[in-house]
């Protein structure tokens, strides 16, 4: 177990899971380069970046690995399913029925998953229609009639979105890691090699200085290390489980444990929510001919302090907002009370919930500021050094680090279980005709 990477392909089950995951990801990336019928791809790509690079379409395009700008059959990617999942997370705080299903264990989760699939299909149909209208508005991008193009695009993108959802579920069940997250992960890092090549070419022709590039790489390495540290950082609340009698008078000794309160409990969601709102003026300005909306769009563009200030405050707000939805101190306090556990020096029940909420509020202060800094540091670096070709963004970096750490932990869990299975088999002996573990 000293070097888990050496053992990844030594165990048949883990090797099969890894190879299956790579095969599914290969299928996904191949489909992400097949153009949908009826699209004039050169005409679309010629205007997509200029018109919609900084809008909602540009952000969406990053999450689907450029499928939107290439009008592929997987242009919607896994985002409809992600949107449906987030929708049910938010609705759980409003509708008691959904919240009750979340607490019913495996059966409740299966029912919510089924509902999520139905909503995903509806979102695919709506987004497919919206995308057909969007492509049809670009001059020369459609080579068929409007009706035929709209119908074929809706059907193609809906089938493609459902198929991508199925691929993600197959990775989760038969592969390694969270399938939905891995699809986004590989969509983001797909642009890394081409961005490195463009940066190298810019340095060769003299557009980027060697010193500036070295400083940029050093900053990126430092920021990546900080993201890893903050992602894994947590405030540990000590929990005491008292001694109790179980079975026929057998005494179970008290145990000490802890409840981890993560510094980045909400993950990348606050940045995604903030981006969804901050790019609304730019999206409206791209489609509107009104001078007011165009001026408003220019005000909310990277490079001015109104954009940075609003963006940062939104991230801080959504950090607290989303954490309040996914983390309930009252439920945690009740679960500790049912188990007979308590926090030393704090009364069980309401006082425990208040204490956890107070700790969570304080921990989220550096967590929210860290998310805001990570989201805006790339813009500041690009403004200072004038580099626009290097592949680096706060949202993508957080997703890649989080998914990478989660996948590594799942692989280590498989190795650990395999290690314990071998240990238990070696320690099994027969005593008076019965098996016993030594």
């Amino acid at each position: 177990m000293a070097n888990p990477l050496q053992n990844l392909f030594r165990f048949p089950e883990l090797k099969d899971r890894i190879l299956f995951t790579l095969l599914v990801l290969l299928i996904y990336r191949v489909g992400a380069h097949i153009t949908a019928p009826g699209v004039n791809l050169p005409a679309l790509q010629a205007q997509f970046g200029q018109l919609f690079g900084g809008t909602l379409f540009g952000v969406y395009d990053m999450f689907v690995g450029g499928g939107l700008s290439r009008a592929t059959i997987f242009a919607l990617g896994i985002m409809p399913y992600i949107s449906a999942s987030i929708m049910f997370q938010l609705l759980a705080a409003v509708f008691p029925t959904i919240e009750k299903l979340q607490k019913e264990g495996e059966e409740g989760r299966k029912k919510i998953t089924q509902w999520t699939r139905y909503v995903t299909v509806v979102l695919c149909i709506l987004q497919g229609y919206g995308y057909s209208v969007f492509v049809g508005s670009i001059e020369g991008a459609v080579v068929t009639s409007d009706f035929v193009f709209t119908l074929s695009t809706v059907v193609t993108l809906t089938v493609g979105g459902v198929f991508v959802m199925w691929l993600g579920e197959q990775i989760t069940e038969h592969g390694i890691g969270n399938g939905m997250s891995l699809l986004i992960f590989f969509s983001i890092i797909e642009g890394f090699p081409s961005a490195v090549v463009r940066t190298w070419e810019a340095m060769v022709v003299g557009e980027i200085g060697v010193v500036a590039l070295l400083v940029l790489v050093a900053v990126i390495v430092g920021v990546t290390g900080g993201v890893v540290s903050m992602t894994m950082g947590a405030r540990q609340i000590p929990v005491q489980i008292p001694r109790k009698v179980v079975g026929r008078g057998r005494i179970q000794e008290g145990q000490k444990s802890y409840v981890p309160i993560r510094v980045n409990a909400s993950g990348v969601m606050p940045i995604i929510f903030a981006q969804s709102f901050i790019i609304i003026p730019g999206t409206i300005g791209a489609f509107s001919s009104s001078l007011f909306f165009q001026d408003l769009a220019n005000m909310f563009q990277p490079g001015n302090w109104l954009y940075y200030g609003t963006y940062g405050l939104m991230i801080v707000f959504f950090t607290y907002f989303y954490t309040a939805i996914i983390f309930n101190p009252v439920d945690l306090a009740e679960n500790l009370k049912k188990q007979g556990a308590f926090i030393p020096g704090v009364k069980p029940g309401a006082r425990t919930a208040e204490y956890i909420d107070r700790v969570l509020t304080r921990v989220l202060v550096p967590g929210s500021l860290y998310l805001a800094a990570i989201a805006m540091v790339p813009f500041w670096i690009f403004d200072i050094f004038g580099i626009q070709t290097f592949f680096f963004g706060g949202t993508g970096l957080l997703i890649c680090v989080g998914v990478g750490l989660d996948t590594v932990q799942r692989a280590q869990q498989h190795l650990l279980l395999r290690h314990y299975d071998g240990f238990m088999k070696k320690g099994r002996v027969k005593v008076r005709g019965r098996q016993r573990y030594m």
Side-chain angles (χ1 to χ4, degrees), residues 164-326:
V164 170
M165 175 185 67
W166 180 80
L167 290 178
E169 292 179 347
Q170 296 306 303
I171 292 178
T172 303
E173 184 176 356
H174 303 291
I176 186 168
N178 185 290
M180 311 304 172
S181 300
L182 282 174
L183 292 178
I184 298 178
F185 174 83
F186 276 86
S187 297
I188 293 175
I189 67 172
E190 184 199 19
F192 181 78
S194 60
V196 172
V197 172
R198 291 196 303 269
T199 303
W200 176 260
E201 293 174 348
M203 188 187 69
V204 171
V205 300
E207 295 180 2
I208 301 175
V210 177
V211 176
L213 183 60
L214 292 176
V215 173
L216 177 61
V217 172
V219 171
I220 291 175
V221 172
V223 171
T224 303
V227 170
V228 174
S229 300
M230 295 296 286
T231 301
M232 301 182 66
R235 163 72 157 85
Q236 297 180 354
I237 300 178
V239 174
Q240 181 69 44
I241 301 176
R243 184 174 64 175
K244 57 183 178 181
V245 179
V246 294
R248 299 181 179 179
R250 186 165 60 90
I251 298 177
Q252 182 178 354
E253 295 295 332
Q255 300 176 356
K256 291 183 179 180
S257 184
Y258 63 88
V259 176
I261 304 295
R262 291 193 173 274
V263 177
N264 184 21
S266 55
V268 74
M269 293 309 302
I271 297 181
I272 295 178
F273 284 148
Q275 281 184 335
S276 301
F277 281 91
I278 199 67
I279 62 180
I280 288 178
T283 304
I284 297 176
F287 288 98
S288 175
S289 59
S290 172
L291 293 177
F292 171 77
F293 288 113
Q294 292 180 359
D295 292 339
L296 186 65
N298 294 330
M299 294 172 60
F300 285 94
Q301 290 293 327
N304 59 71
W305 290 105
L306 178 61
Y307 175 89
Y308 293 138
T310 306
Y311 191 27
L313 290 176
M314 282 185 175
I315 291 175
V316 173
F317 168 75
F318 283 116
T319 300
Y320 282 90
F321 172 77
Y322 190 72
T323 304
I325 292 176
I326 64 175

